[in-house]
């Protein structure tokens, strides 16, 4: 039994605007059937403009909320991949033209660029790295944590993703099929103090039982989470360090 990460959920005051930003930033399509805006790799003829769940890439699901982002740095963020120094420069310029702004999160003198989307969600545009050569536009989903080894234990058991590297300082996973972004846990000073503005959504495989999967996650150390979601067809949980995530129902 295992769950597959299928999308990154982003909370936003203006979900449509933030969804448009990320669609244009990644060169993907945006689909807004209601209040929620879905973003994914463009596929000709697909009902949404893209397939869901995509077999390789993690989509983005932008959900409107009434609360603005706090000044506290998000403990979950996206890293974007580049293929050359020229691509890095061009991408940063294009993102700033779309409404991204430079931010200082204490990174110092580094070869990557730290930006924030129009509502202040931090993300990084990485310098070219061979390890991300085949990820697509999103190199990694990065989670700040206190104990990468414990996060690796939980998330490795929760999903079927393959551990690439696990140490006291970081842990990295990737879909067993290859392709798509890495999932990385980074030892970071401090502890989680506010709800995550970004979180992962997981989906059971066809034929698996969602309730049984949720029970399995609880046995691994996940805790139930009440975000005021009410009666919904998904389950909100938190991992052992309090990072929120959702287990969705099969479409």
């Amino acid at each position: 039994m295992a769950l597959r990460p299928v999308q990154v959920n982003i909370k936003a005051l203006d979900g449509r605007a933030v969804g448009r930003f990320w669609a244009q930033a990644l060169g993907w399509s945006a689909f807004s059937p209601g209040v929620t805006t879905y973003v994914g790799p463009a596929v000709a003829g697909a009902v949404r403009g893209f397939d869901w769940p995509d077999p390789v890439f993690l989509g983005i699901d932008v959900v409107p909320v009434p609360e603005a982002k706090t000044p506290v740095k998000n403990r979950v963020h996206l890293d974007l991949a580049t293929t050359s120094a020229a691509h890095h420069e061009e991408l940063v310029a294009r993102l700033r033209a779309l409404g991204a702004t430079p931010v200082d999160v204490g990174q110092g003198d580094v070869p990557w660029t730290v930006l924030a989307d129009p509502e202040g969600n931090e993300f990084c545009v990485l310098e070219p790295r061979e390890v991300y050569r085949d990820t697509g536009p999103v190199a990694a989903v990065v989670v700040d944590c206190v104990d990468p080894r414990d996060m690796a234990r939980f998330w490795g058991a929760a999903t079927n993703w393959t551990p690439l590297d696990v140490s006291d300082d970081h842990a990295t996973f990737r879909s067993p099929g290859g392709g798509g972004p890495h999932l990385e846990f980074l030892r970071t000073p401090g502890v989680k103090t506010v709800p995550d503005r970004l979180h992962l959504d997981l989906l059971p495989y066809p034929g698996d039982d969602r309730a049984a999967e949720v029970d399995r996650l609880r046995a691994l150390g996940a805790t139930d989470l009440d975000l005021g979601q009410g009666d919904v067809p998904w389950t909100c949980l938190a991992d052992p360090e309090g990072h929120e995530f959702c287990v969705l129902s099969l479409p």
Side-chain angles (χ1 to χ4, degrees):
M1 298 174 69
L3 293 158
R4 48 184 166 157
V6 291
Q7 64 192 18
V8 177
N9 183 292
I10 301 177
K11 298 181 178 68
L13 287 171
D14 188 339
R16 288 179 183 268
V18 172
R20 284 194 302 271
F21 169 84
W22 282 104
Q24 292 173 322
L26 302 176
W28 288 357
S29 293
F31 175 67
S32 299
V35 296
T36 300
T37 299
Y38 301 95
V39 178
V43 175
V47 174
R48 300 182 179 191
F50 53 88
D51 289 331
W52 192 93
D54 189 279
V56 176
F57 300 105
L58 297 185
I60 292 177
D61 176 18
V62 186
V63 178
V65 294
E67 305 87 7
K69 180 185 180 295
T70 70
V72 177
K73 174 185 174 291
N74 287 334
R75 288 184 72 82
V76 180
H77 73 266
L78 301 182
D79 280 352
L80 305 191
T82 61
T83 57
S84 67
H87 181 211
H88 179 273
E89 183 178 355
E90 179 276 329
L91 181 56
V92 169
R94 186 166 63 82
L95 292 167
R96 294 189 65 173
L98 290 172
T101 53
V103 292
D104 184 351
V105 293
Q107 68 269 23
D109 184 17
V110 293
W112 60 87
T113 302
V114 184
L115 300 173
D117 74 11
E119 292 202 2
N121 297 301
E122 303 88 357
F123 65 97
C124 297
V125 181
L126 302 180
E127 76 285 4
R129 300 185 192 181
E130 180 65 17
V131 69
Y132 301 129
R133 70 189 182 281
D134 61 349
T135 61
V138 180
V141 179
V142 182
V143 182
D144 294 346
C145 65
V146 174
D147 188 343
R149 288 190 184 276
D150 193 47
M151 289 293 95
R153 175 200 63 80
F154 175 82
W155 284 96
T159 72
N160 69 334
W161 281 30
T162 304
L164 302 180
D165 187 20
V166 178
S167 72
D168 290 342
D169 293 321
H170 66 273
T172 303
F173 288 82
R174 199 173 190 196
S175 169
H182 295 218
L183 175 59
E184 299 179 357
F185 299 92
L186 213 64
R187 182 183 292 278
T188 307
V191 295
K192 185 174 180 295
T193 58
V194 298
D196 291 327
R197 204 72 177 171
L198 284 72
H199 71 254
L200 284 172
D201 285 341
L202 310 181
L203 187 69
Y205 283 90
D208 286 349
D209 182 83
R210 185 176 67 85
E213 284 292 324
V214 169
D215 285 342
R216 186 176 68 86
L217 293 172
R218 292 185 182 118
L220 290 171
T223 52
D224 290 284
L225 197 62
D226 186 355
L227 301 171
Q229 67 268 22
D231 185 16
V232 292
W234 60 85
T235 302
C236 298
L237 299 170
D239 73 13
E241 289 200 12
H243 298 102
E244 301 88 357
F245 66 97
C246 294
V247 180
L248 307 180
S249 297
L250 286 165

mmCIF file of all heavy atoms in Angstrom, residues 126-156:
data_model
loop_
_atom_site.group_PDB
_atom_site.id
_atom_site.type_symbol
_atom_site.label_atom_id
_atom_site.label_comp_id
_atom_site.label_asym_id
_atom_site.label_seq_id
_atom_site.Cartn_x
_atom_site.Cartn_y
_atom_site.Cartn_z
ATOM 1 N N LEU A 126 16.828 28.067 -9.411
ATOM 2 C CA LEU A 126 18.153 27.483 -9.195
ATOM 3 C C LEU A 126 19.083 27.755 -10.371
ATOM 4 O O LEU A 126 18.642 27.894 -11.512
ATOM 5 C CB LEU A 126 18.033 25.977 -8.985
ATOM 6 C CG LEU A 126 17.156 25.509 -7.820
ATOM 7 C CD1 LEU A 126 17.144 23.993 -7.758
ATOM 8 C CD2 LEU A 126 17.624 26.107 -6.496
ATOM 9 N N GLU A 127 20.360 27.803 -10.072
ATOM 10 C CA GLU A 127 21.355 27.781 -11.137
ATOM 11 C C GLU A 127 21.320 26.384 -11.776
ATOM 12 O O GLU A 127 20.794 25.436 -11.178
ATOM 13 C CB GLU A 127 22.743 28.090 -10.562
ATOM 14 C CG GLU A 127 23.421 26.967 -9.806
ATOM 15 C CD GLU A 127 22.887 26.686 -8.417
ATOM 16 O OE1 GLU A 127 21.891 27.337 -8.005
ATOM 17 O OE2 GLU A 127 23.455 25.811 -7.733
ATOM 18 N N PRO A 128 21.843 26.231 -12.988
ATOM 19 C CA PRO A 128 21.794 24.909 -13.634
ATOM 20 C C PRO A 128 22.467 23.839 -12.781
ATOM 21 O O PRO A 128 23.579 24.020 -12.294
ATOM 22 C CB PRO A 128 22.564 25.126 -14.948
ATOM 23 C CG PRO A 128 22.490 26.588 -15.194
ATOM 24 C CD PRO A 128 22.472 27.250 -13.846
ATOM 25 N N ARG A 129 21.765 22.727 -12.576
ATOM 26 C CA ARG A 129 22.306 21.600 -11.816
ATOM 27 C C ARG A 129 21.984 20.319 -12.573
ATOM 28 O O ARG A 129 20.836 20.082 -12.964
ATOM 29 C CB ARG A 129 21.713 21.527 -10.409
ATOM 30 C CG ARG A 129 21.966 22.759 -9.551
ATOM 31 C CD ARG A 129 21.443 22.557 -8.137
ATOM 32 N NE ARG A 129 21.423 23.797 -7.383
ATOM 33 C CZ ARG A 129 21.025 23.896 -6.111
ATOM 34 N NH1 ARG A 129 20.630 22.799 -5.458
ATOM 35 N NH2 ARG A 129 21.024 25.062 -5.491
ATOM 36 N N GLU A 130 22.997 19.483 -12.746
ATOM 37 C CA GLU A 130 22.829 18.246 -13.500
ATOM 38 C C GLU A 130 21.756 17.352 -12.883
ATOM 39 O O GLU A 130 21.009 16.677 -13.598
ATOM 40 C CB GLU A 130 24.167 17.502 -13.555
ATOM 41 C CG GLU A 130 24.141 16.196 -14.323
ATOM 42 C CD GLU A 130 23.870 16.378 -15.806
ATOM 43 O OE1 GLU A 130 24.012 17.508 -16.314
ATOM 44 O OE2 GLU A 130 23.509 15.374 -16.463
ATOM 45 N N VAL A 131 21.634 17.363 -11.568
ATOM 46 C CA VAL A 131 20.684 16.481 -10.899
ATOM 47 C C VAL A 131 19.244 16.800 -11.273
ATOM 48 O O VAL A 131 18.363 15.933 -11.199
ATOM 49 C CB VAL A 131 20.882 16.554 -9.365
ATOM 50 C CG1 VAL A 131 20.460 17.914 -8.808
ATOM 51 C CG2 VAL A 131 20.134 15.432 -8.663
ATOM 52 N N TYR A 132 18.977 18.018 -11.721
ATOM 53 C CA TYR A 132 17.612 18.414 -12.083
ATOM 54 C C TYR A 132 17.412 18.516 -13.596
ATOM 55 O O TYR A 132 16.488 19.173 -14.063
ATOM 56 C CB TYR A 132 17.275 19.763 -11.438
ATOM 57 C CG TYR A 132 17.358 19.771 -9.929
ATOM 58 C CD1 TYR A 132 18.084 20.756 -9.270
ATOM 59 C CD2 TYR A 132 16.717 18.804 -9.162
ATOM 60 C CE1 TYR A 132 18.164 20.785 -7.879
ATOM 61 C CE2 TYR A 132 16.799 18.818 -7.776
ATOM 62 C CZ TYR A 132 17.521 19.812 -7.140
ATOM 63 O OH TYR A 132 17.603 19.837 -5.770
ATOM 64 N N ARG A 133 18.255 17.873 -14.369
ATOM 65 C CA ARG A 133 18.224 18.054 -15.819
ATOM 66 C C ARG A 133 16.936 17.529 -16.450
ATOM 67 O O ARG A 133 16.564 17.967 -17.544
ATOM 68 C CB ARG A 133 19.426 17.366 -16.464
ATOM 69 C CG ARG A 133 19.382 15.850 -16.419
ATOM 70 C CD ARG A 133 20.687 15.211 -16.878
ATOM 71 N NE ARG A 133 20.628 13.756 -16.886
ATOM 72 C CZ ARG A 133 20.748 12.996 -15.813
ATOM 73 N NH1 ARG A 133 20.936 13.559 -14.632
ATOM 74 N NH2 ARG A 133 20.674 11.678 -15.901
ATOM 75 N N ASP A 134 16.243 16.579 -15.806
ATOM 76 C CA ASP A 134 15.053 15.983 -16.423
ATOM 77 C C ASP A 134 13.803 16.120 -15.568
ATOM 78 O O ASP A 134 12.871 15.332 -15.680
ATOM 79 C CB ASP A 134 15.302 14.507 -16.731
ATOM 80 C CG ASP A 134 15.605 13.681 -15.486
ATOM 81 O OD1 ASP A 134 15.824 14.272 -14.408
ATOM 82 O OD2 ASP A 134 15.620 12.437 -15.588
ATOM 83 N N THR A 135 13.768 17.125 -14.706
ATOM 84 C CA THR A 135 12.617 17.274 -13.808
ATOM 85 C C THR A 135 11.454 18.025 -14.440
ATOM 86 O O THR A 135 10.343 17.978 -13.928
ATOM 87 C CB THR A 135 13.019 18.040 -12.531
ATOM 88 O OG1 THR A 135 13.466 19.344 -12.901
ATOM 89 C CG2 THR A 135 14.098 17.304 -11.771
ATOM 90 N N GLY A 136 11.698 18.764 -15.523
ATOM 91 C CA GLY A 136 10.717 19.725 -15.985
ATOM 92 C C GLY A 136 10.923 21.031 -15.252
ATOM 93 O O GLY A 136 11.943 21.231 -14.569
ATOM 94 N N PRO A 137 9.973 21.971 -15.343
ATOM 95 C CA PRO A 137 10.190 23.307 -14.778
ATOM 96 C C PRO A 137 10.320 23.342 -13.262
ATOM 97 O O PRO A 137 10.979 24.223 -12.717
ATOM 98 C CB PRO A 137 8.973 24.103 -15.256
ATOM 99 C CG PRO A 137 7.930 23.077 -15.569
ATOM 100 C CD PRO A 137 8.679 21.879 -16.044
ATOM 101 N N VAL A 138 9.681 22.414 -12.551
ATOM 102 C CA VAL A 138 9.800 22.363 -11.092
ATOM 103 C C VAL A 138 10.873 21.342 -10.736
ATOM 104 O O VAL A 138 10.715 20.142 -10.976
ATOM 105 C CB VAL A 138 8.467 22.003 -10.417
ATOM 106 C CG1 VAL A 138 8.639 21.955 -8.899
ATOM 107 C CG2 VAL A 138 7.379 23.004 -10.792
ATOM 108 N N ALA A 139 11.974 21.820 -10.175
ATOM 109 C CA ALA A 139 13.070 20.925 -9.799
ATOM 110 C C ALA A 139 12.732 20.129 -8.547
ATOM 111 O O ALA A 139 13.020 18.927 -8.466
ATOM 112 C CB ALA A 139 14.344 21.727 -9.576
ATOM 113 N N ALA A 140 12.137 20.803 -7.558
ATOM 114 C CA ALA A 140 11.910 20.138 -6.274
ATOM 115 C C ALA A 140 10.828 20.849 -5.480
ATOM 116 O O ALA A 140 10.633 22.061 -5.618
ATOM 117 C CB ALA A 140 13.199 20.097 -5.460
ATOM 118 N N VAL A 141 10.133 20.064 -4.665
ATOM 119 C CA VAL A 141 9.293 20.590 -3.590
ATOM 120 C C VAL A 141 10.127 20.435 -2.324
ATOM 121 O O VAL A 141 10.530 19.319 -1.969
ATOM 122 C CB VAL A 141 7.977 19.818 -3.465
ATOM 123 C CG1 VAL A 141 7.136 20.387 -2.321
ATOM 124 C CG2 VAL A 141 7.198 19.845 -4.775
ATOM 125 N N VAL A 142 10.421 21.553 -1.659
ATOM 126 C CA VAL A 142 11.363 21.562 -0.538
ATOM 127 C C VAL A 142 10.612 21.832 0.765
ATOM 128 O O VAL A 142 9.835 22.798 0.853
ATOM 129 C CB VAL A 142 12.460 22.618 -0.746
ATOM 130 C CG1 VAL A 142 13.466 22.578 0.396
ATOM 131 C CG2 VAL A 142 13.156 22.404 -2.090
ATOM 132 N N VAL A 143 10.855 20.992 1.750
ATOM 133 C CA VAL A 143 10.192 21.106 3.052
ATOM 134 C C VAL A 143 11.253 21.370 4.115
ATOM 135 O O VAL A 143 12.181 20.568 4.287
ATOM 136 C CB VAL A 143 9.416 19.818 3.392
ATOM 137 C CG1 VAL A 143 8.696 19.967 4.736
ATOM 138 C CG2 VAL A 143 8.427 19.472 2.283
ATOM 139 N N ASP A 144 11.147 22.495 4.817
ATOM 140 C CA ASP A 144 12.019 22.769 5.957
ATOM 141 C C ASP A 144 11.606 21.877 7.124
ATOM 142 O O ASP A 144 10.404 21.727 7.404
ATOM 143 C CB ASP A 144 11.907 24.229 6.388
ATOM 144 C CG ASP A 144 12.438 25.191 5.334
ATOM 145 O OD1 ASP A 144 13.119 24.742 4.402
ATOM 146 O OD2 ASP A 144 12.145 26.398 5.447
ATOM 147 N N CYS A 145 12.573 21.322 7.817
ATOM 148 C CA CYS A 145 12.220 20.433 8.926
ATOM 149 C C CYS A 145 13.334 20.411 9.954
ATOM 150 O O CYS A 145 14.443 20.900 9.732
ATOM 151 C CB CYS A 145 11.935 19.019 8.412
ATOM 152 S SG CYS A 145 13.358 18.187 7.685
ATOM 153 N N VAL A 146 13.033 19.832 11.096
ATOM 154 C CA VAL A 146 13.999 19.690 12.179
ATOM 155 C C VAL A 146 14.815 18.413 12.016
ATOM 156 O O VAL A 146 16.020 18.392 12.271
ATOM 157 C CB VAL A 146 13.266 19.694 13.545
ATOM 158 C CG1 VAL A 146 14.239 19.395 14.678
ATOM 159 C CG2 VAL A 146 12.560 21.027 13.767
ATOM 160 N N ASP A 147 14.171 17.329 11.568
ATOM 161 C CA ASP A 147 14.810 16.019 11.525
ATOM 162 C C ASP A 147 14.567 15.365 10.167
ATOM 163 O O ASP A 147 13.566 14.665 9.975
ATOM 164 C CB ASP A 147 14.256 15.145 12.644
ATOM 165 C CG ASP A 147 14.997 13.824 12.800
ATOM 166 O OD1 ASP A 147 15.728 13.431 11.860
ATOM 167 O OD2 ASP A 147 14.846 13.176 13.850
ATOM 168 N N PRO A 148 15.466 15.578 9.187
ATOM 169 C CA PRO A 148 15.265 14.974 7.863
ATOM 170 C C PRO A 148 15.160 13.450 7.889
ATOM 171 O O PRO A 148 14.420 12.860 7.090
ATOM 172 C CB PRO A 148 16.501 15.428 7.081
ATOM 173 C CG PRO A 148 16.923 16.694 7.744
ATOM 174 C CD PRO A 148 16.640 16.475 9.201
ATOM 175 N N ARG A 149 15.888 12.802 8.792
ATOM 176 C CA ARG A 149 15.816 11.341 8.839
ATOM 177 C C ARG A 149 14.417 10.873 9.256
ATOM 178 O O ARG A 149 13.894 9.897 8.715
ATOM 179 C CB ARG A 149 16.872 10.782 9.787
ATOM 180 C CG ARG A 149 18.295 10.882 9.248
ATOM 181 C CD ARG A 149 19.260 10.094 10.105
ATOM 182 N NE ARG A 149 20.633 10.244 9.657
ATOM 183 C CZ ARG A 149 21.182 9.527 8.682
ATOM 184 N NH1 ARG A 149 20.457 8.597 8.069
ATOM 185 N NH2 ARG A 149 22.437 9.720 8.323
ATOM 186 N N ASP A 150 13.817 11.555 10.223
ATOM 187 C CA ASP A 150 12.477 11.167 10.639
ATOM 188 C C ASP A 150 11.455 11.480 9.551
ATOM 189 O O ASP A 150 10.515 10.717 9.332
ATOM 190 C CB ASP A 150 12.094 11.865 11.944
ATOM 191 C CG ASP A 150 10.847 11.254 12.575
ATOM 192 O OD1 ASP A 150 10.789 10.009 12.669
ATOM 193 O OD2 ASP A 150 9.937 12.013 12.948
ATOM 194 N N MET A 151 11.645 12.616 8.849
ATOM 195 C CA MET A 151 10.766 12.922 7.723
ATOM 196 C C MET A 151 10.915 11.866 6.633
ATOM 197 O O MET A 151 9.922 11.463 6.003
ATOM 198 C CB MET A 151 11.088 14.304 7.166
ATOM 199 C CG MET A 151 10.681 15.466 8.056
ATOM 200 S SD MET A 151 8.884 15.662 8.251
ATOM 201 C CE MET A 151 8.653 14.745 9.785
ATOM 202 N N ALA A 152 12.136 11.403 6.404
ATOM 203 C CA ALA A 152 12.360 10.362 5.406
ATOM 204 C C ALA A 152 11.657 9.064 5.811
ATOM 205 O O ALA A 152 11.086 8.358 4.969
ATOM 206 C CB ALA A 152 13.855 10.123 5.223
ATOM 207 N N ARG A 153 11.719 8.747 7.101
ATOM 208 C CA ARG A 153 11.019 7.552 7.578
ATOM 209 C C ARG A 153 9.535 7.636 7.289
ATOM 210 O O ARG A 153 8.930 6.716 6.735
ATOM 211 C CB ARG A 153 11.241 7.381 9.085
ATOM 212 C CG ARG A 153 10.461 6.228 9.714
ATOM 213 C CD ARG A 153 10.327 6.394 11.212
ATOM 214 N NE ARG A 153 9.572 7.584 11.599
ATOM 215 C CZ ARG A 153 8.238 7.660 11.584
ATOM 216 N NH1 ARG A 153 7.504 6.634 11.174
ATOM 217 N NH2 ARG A 153 7.628 8.764 11.975
ATOM 218 N N PHE A 154 8.925 8.772 7.656
ATOM 219 C CA PHE A 154 7.476 8.906 7.493
ATOM 220 C C PHE A 154 7.088 8.962 6.023
ATOM 221 O O PHE A 154 6.235 8.189 5.563
ATOM 222 C CB PHE A 154 6.976 10.161 8.213
ATOM 223 C CG PHE A 154 5.514 10.423 7.979
ATOM 224 C CD1 PHE A 154 4.556 9.763 8.725
ATOM 225 C CD2 PHE A 154 5.092 11.301 6.985
ATOM 226 C CE1 PHE A 154 3.200 9.966 8.493
ATOM 227 C CE2 PHE A 154 3.747 11.520 6.744
ATOM 228 C CZ PHE A 154 2.794 10.851 7.498
ATOM 229 N N TRP A 155 7.700 9.882 5.268
ATOM 230 C CA TRP A 155 7.281 10.089 3.887
ATOM 231 C C TRP A 155 7.694 8.930 2.990
ATOM 232 O O TRP A 155 7.011 8.627 1.995
ATOM 233 C CB TRP A 155 7.810 11.419 3.372
ATOM 234 C CG TRP A 155 7.015 12.564 3.937
ATOM 235 C CD1 TRP A 155 7.325 13.320 5.037
ATOM 236 C CD2 TRP A 155 5.767 13.048 3.459
ATOM 237 N NE1 TRP A 155 6.349 14.256 5.264
ATOM 238 C CE2 TRP A 155 5.378 14.104 4.312
ATOM 239 C CE3 TRP A 155 4.947 12.694 2.394
ATOM 240 C CZ2 TRP A 155 4.189 14.806 4.123
ATOM 241 C CZ3 TRP A 155 3.764 13.394 2.199
ATOM 242 C CH2 TRP A 155 3.385 14.432 3.062
ATOM 243 N N GLY A 156 8.790 8.264 3.327
ATOM 244 C CA GLY A 156 9.162 7.080 2.563
ATOM 245 C C GLY A 156 8.136 5.972 2.719
ATOM 246 O O GLY A 156 7.811 5.268 1.759
#
